[in-house]
Amino acid sequence: MRRAALALTLLLAATGASATPTLTVFACEPEWAALTRVLMPQARLHVATHAGQDPHHIEARPALIAQLRSADLAVCTGAALESGWLPVLQQRAGNARVRDVFYAADHVELIDPQPGVIGTPWAGDVHAQGNPHLHTDPHKLLEVAQALAQRLQQECPVQREAIAERLRGFETQWRARIAHWERQAAPLRGRSVAAQHTTFGYLWRWLGLRQTADLEPRPGMAPTPGHLQRLLEGLRREPPLAVVVAGFHDPRAARWLAGQLGSSTTWLTLPATVAEDADGAALLRWMDELVAPLLRAAAR
Ligand SMILES: [Zn+2]
């Protein structure tokens, strides 16, 4: 009898210990941290970049090396977005567990690959493999969520069912919102935008917008007066709905260009990603924050 009670205690203790097994995840960008939280809320997360930073270019700080050293899994964008800093972190962290990084870009079809262009680790913003900023297309984000769920299940098999259930919940909610955004966005279809870099290339494609000018003279290069002047001349023929920059860009070039184009063009700063502590609800709000300002611009 006493032995049976002891066995039960041990069993309960073991169940208790494995009821909330967790992983330490190093997320290169906040959107992947948010998706990890959706699928595995108990995961310990380190987030390498924030919305105020250009994810192409960050410094391989010692704090990041220490975080990568302690991680069980790294979740990043790939397609060379992090090629200027992630290999350095990996080398210095010397952690075999994070050698096989989960790259979101491996699980979706990328737009605008440039097969002839040679990308280098120092020119990740050239996008030879295709545009890596795929998280601004909610359909692609959902595909990444499905692939990430599989990977987390492999890493943490006892959580298999719980992860599958959370994925189903996210899919249902996310699909309903996609349908809502797509209905809302009807007035945007066929309109044009000017923007700095291809940060929102997937958003434009999803919403049926066309990016007709890039404020960068070359990928990753800040706008120059000469380049802006040339763009202005071209854009006068078909003034865009908006001139758009990401939150981490200096907005002055966009403001100037929109001002020169007159009242039919507005300038917008859109958040390139969510906050570092974002969850599923924050991902939904962020997508609202991308769509709503464009709709307001179109309604002017
Ligand atoms: Zn880029």
Side-chain angles (χ1 to χ4, degrees):
M1 190 66 191
R2 194 187 290 167
R3 191 173 292 170
L6 179 65
L8 182 64
T9 309
L10 287 176
L11 178 70
L12 287 175
T15 315
S18 62
T20 53
T22 194
L23 289 176
T24 300
V25 177
F26 179 95
C28 286
E29 289 83 25
E31 60 271 21
W32 310 134
L35 271 192
T36 305
R37 269 186 210 101
V38 166
L39 299 167
M40 206 183 207
Q42 75 275 29
R44 260 182 244 113
L45 274 152
H46 298 300
V47 193
T49 58
H50 58 75
Q53 286 175 312
D54 180 346
H56 284 294
H57 308 285
I58 65 157
E59 212 186 309
R61 298 192 319 276
L64 294 178
I65 297 164
Q67 288 170 1
L68 191 60
R69 191 171 290 145
S70 73
D72 301 306
L73 172 68
V75 180
C76 298
T77 298
L81 178 68
E82 302 96 349
S83 63
W85 51 274
L86 185 60
V88 181
L89 290 181
Q90 280 177 305
Q91 195 203 340
R92 299 206 181 140
N95 175 358
R97 296 195 304 284
V98 293
R99 214 167 283 151
D100 181 18
V101 178
F102 174 91
Y103 286 120
D106 291 347
H107 302 278
V108 300
E109 199 181 323
L110 301 182
I111 61 171
D112 306 327
Q114 300 171 63
V117 175
I118 313 286
T120 71
W122 304 277
D125 22 13
V126 169
H127 302 165
Q129 299 169 44
N131 185 334
H133 308 288
L134 57 99
H135 62 298
T136 64
D137 177 342
H139 293 282
K140 306 244 184 231
L141 199 111
L142 193 53
E143 288 173 47
V144 175
Q146 289 156 348
L148 181 59
Q150 272 188 15
R151 179 63 185 268
L152 291 171
Q153 286 171 327
Q154 280 164 22
E155 300 284 339
C156 203
V158 291
Q159 281 276 310
R160 179 168 290 278
E161 258 318 299
I163 291 169
E165 198 180 315
R166 291 186 202 110
L167 175 64
R168 281 194 293 274
F170 179 72
E171 281 174 334
T172 305
Q173 201 182 19
W174 199 247
R175 286 212 173 94
R177 291 298 289 175
I178 288 177
H180 167 76
W181 290 316
E182 288 178 353
R183 275 195 304 275
Q184 271 192 321
L188 299 176
R189 258 164 238 139
R191 302 290 300 268
S192 65
V193 285
Q196 183 162 342
H197 197 62
T198 47
T199 304
F200 299 108
Y202 288 87
L203 181 71
W204 310 147
R205 186 174 158 277
W206 171 52
L207 296 173
L209 288 160
R210 293 171 295 122
Q211 182 171 340
T212 52
D214 193 327
L215 273 55
E216 294 181 332
R218 284 209 309 271
M221 193 180 175
T224 58
H227 180 66
L228 291 176
Q229 194 62 48
R230 278 190 296 279
L231 288 185
L232 176 61
E233 283 154 28
L235 289 172
R236 281 196 208 281
R237 270 174 262 130
E238 186 199 357
L241 172 68
V243 184
V244 182
V245 291
F248 57 80
H249 286 132
D250 182 336
R252 284 177 296 181
R255 200 160 52 204
W256 179 83
L257 192 56
Q260 296 293 312
L261 286 165
S263 59
S264 59
T265 302
T266 187
W267 70 276
L268 296 173
T269 294
L270 297 181
T273 185
V274 289
E276 291 150 272
D277 60 353
D279 57 6
L283 274 173
L284 289 171
R285 281 198 302 277
W286 168 64
M287 203 46 84
D288 279 331
E289 287 165 19
L290 293 180
V291 176
L294 292 164
L295 289 175
R296 281 198 296 275
R300 273 165 23 115

